Amino acid sequence: MPVIVNPQDFHQDDLYVDLAPLLGRNLHLKCEGFNFAGSIKLKVAAEMVAQAERDGTLRPGSTIVESSSGNLGVALSIVAANRGYRFVCVTDTRCNLAAKLMMTALGGQVYTVTEPDPVSGLLGARLRYVRELCASSPQYVWLNQYANSGNWRAHYRHTAPSIVRRFGNLDVLFVGAGTTGTLMGCARYLRDTRQRAKVVAVDAVGSVTFGGVPAPRHIPGLGTSVRPPMLDERYVDDVLHVREADTVRMCRTLAGHGFLFGGSTGTVVSGALDWLAANDPQGRMTAVAIAPDLGERYLESIYQPGWCDEMFGAEAGHLGREPVTGSH
């Protein structure tokens, strides 16, 4: 095991769960939640901060500002504390309480937007507040995960190469689409290194990322109400949209087998199973899906019957933990 000095120096980058015995499809799940931030976003936070230090954007006395639904905020809290910066996270009402508590425990400040922008929703309102805050003082530095090349470069440098090292015969990679940093970094790497694998983006119903009709969403992580600037659809072979009820159903199914994952993972796995059922009925493909985080931060939401009753009404009674096999 490594001996580290900085919390961002450790990330378990080569852990996979074989879902075939659990779900009946040939699918490996890359687990990205085993680090001090508990999510894949630690790579992004470290990359963006290092890049801002190199180009002189971040200086002693700077305060990092970022809009985040939770995981990147936690990751930046860690890196900011380690590097001696203050940190302000602008989030909204969908952010999990656990993530907010972690940010404040690490010295960060959290501002929660409660009123959506009439056109661009809660994300638009968050971005407006960030811009206003940064305009008020030069000490505030917005890293802007939505357009920052460090976001996708972190996955180009680390996530995608580690997948290719383990699965040199990869046929299809399923990646959730939020800021699209993971999606773009992995897709660019696969294209640049001439891998044969298809890249399938998995998004939430109600997200506008790929031109969908905007609708309310309750689970943080995937989906946007503003199209991500870094998205280049030329690198994406297919797009899936998953209902949040199916996200919860898959999370509970995995928990029924002892694997507690977050909402983004439930979305990606649910979409991947549908795609594989339609495109690989014989189970001959080598397929990998990326699990961005674990499930502890969702204990008060997707794993709570009361929350599901409130969000999904009559359908909540069908979101149990029954194991599934084969296609769904």
Side-chain angles (χ1 to χ4, degrees):
M1 296 298 290
V3 176
I4 65 170
V5 175
N6 305 307
Q8 60 268 31
D9 291 342
F10 173 74
H11 189 94
Q12 172 52 262
D13 206 34
D14 198 34
L15 177 63
Y16 296 81
V17 177
D18 183 356
L19 294 179
L22 282 63
L23 304 179
R25 288 288 167 195
N26 186 25
L27 179 65
H28 285 83
L29 190 61
K30 187 179 193 305
C31 301
E32 291 280 352
F34 292 95
N35 58 52
F36 285 94
S39 83
I40 196 171
K41 293 293 189 178
L42 185 59
K43 297 176 184 178
V44 175
E47 183 77 19
M48 292 196 304
V49 169
Q51 183 172 292
E53 289 177 332
R54 288 193 299 269
D55 64 25
T57 303
L58 279 176
R59 302 181 178 89
S62 293
T63 296
I64 297 171
V65 180
E66 189 55 81
S67 161
S68 170
S69 60
N71 281 343
L72 182 64
V74 171
L76 280 172
S77 295
I78 289 173
V79 177
N82 179 254
R83 303 295 295 168
Y85 302 110
R86 295 184 178 89
F87 173 62
V88 177
C89 179
V90 180
T91 188
D92 60 54
T93 52
R94 292 170 298 186
C95 182
N96 299 306
L97 176 61
K100 293 181 181 180
L101 293 175
M102 289 183 70
M103 285 186 264
T104 55
L106 289 159
Q109 293 178 272
V110 180
Y111 180 84
T112 304
V113 170
T114 58
E115 294 297 326
D117 181 272
V119 176
S120 51
L122 286 167
L123 177 56
R126 279 162 39 186
L127 296 179
R128 183 175 66 246
Y129 185 84
V130 167
R131 294 187 180 101
E132 292 172 353
L133 184 63
C134 291
S136 69
S137 172
Q139 81 178 57
Y140 293 113
V141 176
W142 180 24
L143 296 180
N144 192 3
Q145 62 163 326
Y146 309 98
N148 192 316
S149 64
N151 188 340
W152 66 263
R153 287 186 189 281
H155 304 292
Y156 189 99
R157 295 179 57 218
H158 302 290
T159 309
S162 69
I163 294 171
V164 171
R165 282 195 298 270
R166 173 58 72 94
F167 297 95
N169 59 340
L170 183 68
D171 293 302
V172 57
L173 176 64
F174 299 96
V175 188
T179 64
T180 68
T182 308
L183 176 65
M184 287 293 95
C186 290
R188 287 174 183 271
Y189 180 86
L190 293 177
R191 180 77 60 88
D192 288 352
T193 57
R194 294 182 169 82
Q195 304 297 317
R196 68 180 185 182
K198 293 181 179 295
V199 175
V200 178
V202 186
D203 199 6
V205 169
S207 167
V208 306
T209 299
F210 295 95
V213 177
R217 290 172 290 108
H218 308 289
I219 301 173
L222 298 188
T224 62
S225 55
V226 178
R227 181 181 168 89
M230 72 178 67
L231 174 62
D232 187 340
E233 294 187 55
R234 294 175 298 177
Y235 290 91
V236 180
D237 297 291
D238 206 351
V239 178
L240 306 171
H241 286 87
V242 175
R243 299 182 315 133
E244 288 192 327
D246 293 328
T247 292
V248 175
R249 185 178 293 109
M250 182 52 62
C251 285
R252 292 185 172 190
T253 294
L254 292 169
H257 291 286
F259 293 101
L260 195 72
F261 284 106
S264 298
T265 300
T267 303
V268 173
V269 173
S270 180
L273 292 188
D274 283 342
W275 192 94
L276 290 170
N279 294 276
D280 185 32
Q282 303 303 317
R284 293 171 179 164
M285 288 186 175
T286 298
V288 171
I290 296 178
D293 61 4
L294 302 177
E296 292 92 336
R297 293 172 197 172
Y298 303 82
L299 294 177
E300 295 185 331
S301 56
I302 61 178
Y303 293 105
Q304 275 295 323
W307 184 88
C308 291
D309 289 341
E310 181 181 352
M311 295 299 111
F312 304 110
E315 192 174 11
H318 304 287
L319 303 180
R321 294 174 54 188
E322 305 90 339
V324 296
T325 56
S327 61
H328 71 300

